[in-house]
Amino acid sequence: MHHKPGFYGDFGGTYMPEVLFAPIQALQQAWTQLKYDAAFKQSLDKALKDYAGRPTALTDVPQFAKAIGASRVLLKREDLLHTGAHKLNNALGQCLLAKRLGKQRIIAETGAGQHGVATAAACARLGLTCVVYMGSEDIRRQAPNVLRMQLMGATVMPVDHGAATLKDAINEALRDWSAHFEESYYCLGSALGPHPYPDMVASFQSVIGTECQTQVQTLLGKNPDYIIACVGGGSNAIGLFSAFINDPKAKLIGVEAGGHGKRLGEHAARFQASTKGVLHGCYTYVLQDAHGQIAPTSSISAGLDYPAVGPQHAELYANHRATYVAIDDKQALEALSLLAKTEGIIAALESAHALAYARVLAPSLMPDQTILINLSGRGDKDLPTLMTQPALTEVLS
Ligand SMILES: *Cc1c(COP(=O)(O)O)cnc(C)c1O
C-alpha cells in the first residue's frame, strides 16, 4: 500500500512550511539510517529495560471480565511503565536519536503533560536540555505534571493563544524548532505530524505489540479475538496493532473521545465526522468547520483531545482493517471506576475509553472469545480532574 515514502495510502506526507524543510529532510535521512541500526537498537533496548522497566506485564482481569459479561479480558500494562504511560517508549527513542545527531536541546509539546513528563525524564537521564510547550489551559488542568517536569529540570513554556491546549502548543514548538533547528531536536509525542514522525513514533511504540504477542501466546496459545486501544494521535494503538495487523482474524478497534455531545466542538471523534484535511504537516482525518478551519475539541481526557489523527489510523480506517468507535466522558468515568473496584487498577482516563468499549462489546461476544486491551497509562495524573467530576459522585455511589 505504501506507494510514496511517508504516505499511508492517501494519508500522511510532509506538508510543512519551507523554513522547516531542511530540518525535516535531515531527520528523514537520519531515521532511514538509524531505524535498522543494531547499536542504536541495543542502546534503546537497554534503556527500556533498565530505566523504563520493560517488559511491562500482561494481566488477566477475571473480575472485570465477569462484571462486563466477557469470558476473558487481558490488559497490557503500559500503566506500569516509568512515568506512568507508554509515552516513555517514544521519548527515550527520540532523545537517544537526538543525541546521536549531536543535538543538545530538546523541544517538546504536551497536552495532558504525559509526553512532557516522559521527555523531561529522558532528557534528565541522557543529559539533554529540555523545553516543553504547554497550553496555559492544560497547565491549569494538569498542575502536578508541570511540577514533575520542573523537578526533572525541564523549562515549561506556557502557550496562551488559540484554545491554549495541545494544538496551540504544537504550533509553538514548531515555531521554536524552525528558529533553532541547528542545535535543537523536536521530540513529537504521537504517531502524527510530518514524515518521518508517524513512522518513527509507531516504530518506537511497536515494542508494546511485539512484547504483547509473545505474552499472549504464553497465556492463550493464540491471538486474542479483539484488540482494543484508545486513539488520541494514535501512538499506543498503532504500537499494539502493528503486531497483529497481519492476522486477519484479530479485530482491531480504536476508541476515540466522544466527549459530551455529538456536535462539532463537543468531542474529539475524528472518524465519526470523517472529513479530511491537513494539520501539523499531515493529511488525515481532521475535525474542521465548513470553511476548513480546525474545530475546537472536547474530552474529559486531555490525551485524546486533539482534532487530527495519525495517518496510519487514517489508512486502517479507509481500508476497513480497523474499526473506530467513540466513547463519551461518562462511559469512560464508569469504566475507570469499575476496573478500580474489581481489580485494584486505576487507569488513565484515556485508557478508560478502551475499557468502556470492551463493556459495550462484551454482550455480543461468543463464550470463548477474548479481548486484549492496552492500558496505556495510570490514573494518578487524573486525580485533580476526577475530584471535580459531579458524574463521579453518581458512579461511586
Ligand atoms: C497521551 C496518551 C494517550 C493518547 O496518545 P496516543 O498517541 O493516541 O497513544 C493515551 N493514553 C495515555 C495514558 C496518554 O498519556
Side-chain angles (χ1 to χ4, degrees):
M1 286 300 257
H2 301 184
H3 311 292
K4 299 170 272 182
F7 278 88
Y8 306 88
D10 293 338
F11 305 102
T14 316
Y15 299 93
M16 294 304 282
E18 223 160 310
V19 279
L20 278 171
F21 195 69
I24 288 271
Q25 211 172 27
L27 183 58
Q28 287 170 355
Q29 274 164 12
W31 175 237
T32 306
Q33 280 167 18
L34 282 181
K35 188 173 179 182
Y36 301 109
D37 182 293
F40 178 69
K41 187 174 178 332
Q42 209 170 31
S43 62
L44 176 57
D45 287 349
K46 187 167 163 38
L48 288 173
K49 177 170 177 284
D50 300 341
Y51 180 66
R54 301 213 72 91
T56 59
L58 181 70
T59 306
D60 224 329
V61 284
Q63 283 126 203
F64 178 76
K66 185 158 181 256
I68 68 170
S71 67
R72 200 157 186 196
V73 177
L74 306 176
L75 301 183
K76 179 59 174 163
R77 302 290 306 281
E78 292 300 295
D79 61 311
L80 296 176
L81 200 67
H82 178 47
T83 69
H86 66 290
K87 297 283 194 321
L88 190 61
N89 300 321
N90 171 51
L92 275 173
Q94 287 199 50
C95 289
L96 275 169
L97 183 137
K99 218 171 159 161
R100 287 279 291 254
L101 300 180
K103 312 279 182 187
Q104 267 302 313
R105 180 175 178 268
I106 306 295
I107 305 161
E109 83 295 334
T110 199
Q114 288 303 102
H115 174 58
V117 167
T119 307
C123 286
R125 174 75 180 174
L126 299 173
L128 301 166
T129 305
C130 183
V131 179
V132 182
Y133 288 91
M134 189 171 185
S136 46
E137 176 58 19
D138 288 332
I139 289 181
R140 191 186 58 74
R141 290 194 287 193
Q142 306 285 337
N145 273 343
V146 176
L147 182 56
R148 280 187 191 107
M149 289 183 258
Q150 289 168 336
L151 280 170
M152 294 187 283
T155 306
V156 179
M157 303 286 282
V159 177
D160 280 318
H161 41 254
T165 58
L166 178 61
K167 169 175 73 68
D168 315 290
I170 296 182
N171 287 337
E172 214 43 47
L174 285 169
R175 221 162 274 150
D176 180 327
W177 194 32
S178 57
H180 303 107
F181 61 79
E182 291 295 342
E183 71 278 11
S184 300
Y185 176 89
Y186 179 28
C187 180
L188 183 56
S190 188
L192 43 81
H195 176 61
Y197 285 105
D199 181 55
M200 185 161 64
V201 177
S203 167
F204 290 141
Q205 293 296 359
S206 69
V207 66
I208 302 172
T210 312
E211 224 173 73
C212 198
Q213 202 179 31
T214 314
Q215 294 169 316
V216 155
Q217 285 304 323
T218 309
L219 262 180
L220 299 177
K222 57 170 185 160
N223 283 341
D225 298 284
Y226 290 88
I227 294 161
I228 307 178
C230 65
V231 180
S235 70
N236 86 86
I238 202 70
L240 180 67
F241 289 179
S242 57
F244 301 96
I245 242 162
N246 291 326
D247 174 0
K249 288 203 296 294
K251 294 177 192 66
L252 309 176
I253 301 174
V255 186
E256 299 183 284
H260 63 273
K262 291 205 180 343
R263 279 181 307 212
L264 199 62
E266 294 177 340
H267 61 84
R270 291 76 36 117
F271 291 121
Q272 305 301 315
S274 202
T275 56
K276 300 168 208 170
V278 170
L279 181 63
H280 298 134
C282 177
Y283 179 67
T284 182
Y285 289 85
V286 293
L287 289 168
Q288 56 197 329
D289 69 15
H291 309 287
Q293 293 297 308
I294 298 304
T297 52
S298 173
S299 170
I300 193 169
S301 66
L304 304 185
D305 203 358
Y306 179 70
V309 64
Q312 288 112 329
H313 290 287
E315 186 190 29
L316 290 173
Y317 170 79
N319 69 19
H320 308 291
R321 175 61 190 92
T323 307
Y324 294 85
V325 296
I327 282 291
D328 68 27
D329 292 348
K330 183 154 181 290
Q331 291 171 296
L333 279 170
E334 285 168 2
L336 183 151
S337 158
L338 185 65
L339 182 71
K341 272 194 183 141
T342 54
E343 300 284 353
I345 299 170
I346 301 175
L349 275 167
E350 291 83 3
S351 325
H353 286 69
L355 295 167
Y357 187 70
R359 250 183 125 181
V360 173
L361 178 70
S364 66
L365 294 186
M366 314 276 272
D368 62 336
Q369 287 189 308
T370 53
I371 303 176
L372 168 65
I373 303 170
N374 199 25
L375 207 72
S376 54
R378 67 179 86 126
D380 307 39
K381 69 175 177 61
D382 295 315
L383 294 182
T385 306
L386 295 178
M387 279 178 213
T388 62
Q389 283 309 309
L392 204 62
T393 337
E394 209 178 299
V395 161
L396 290 177
S397 60

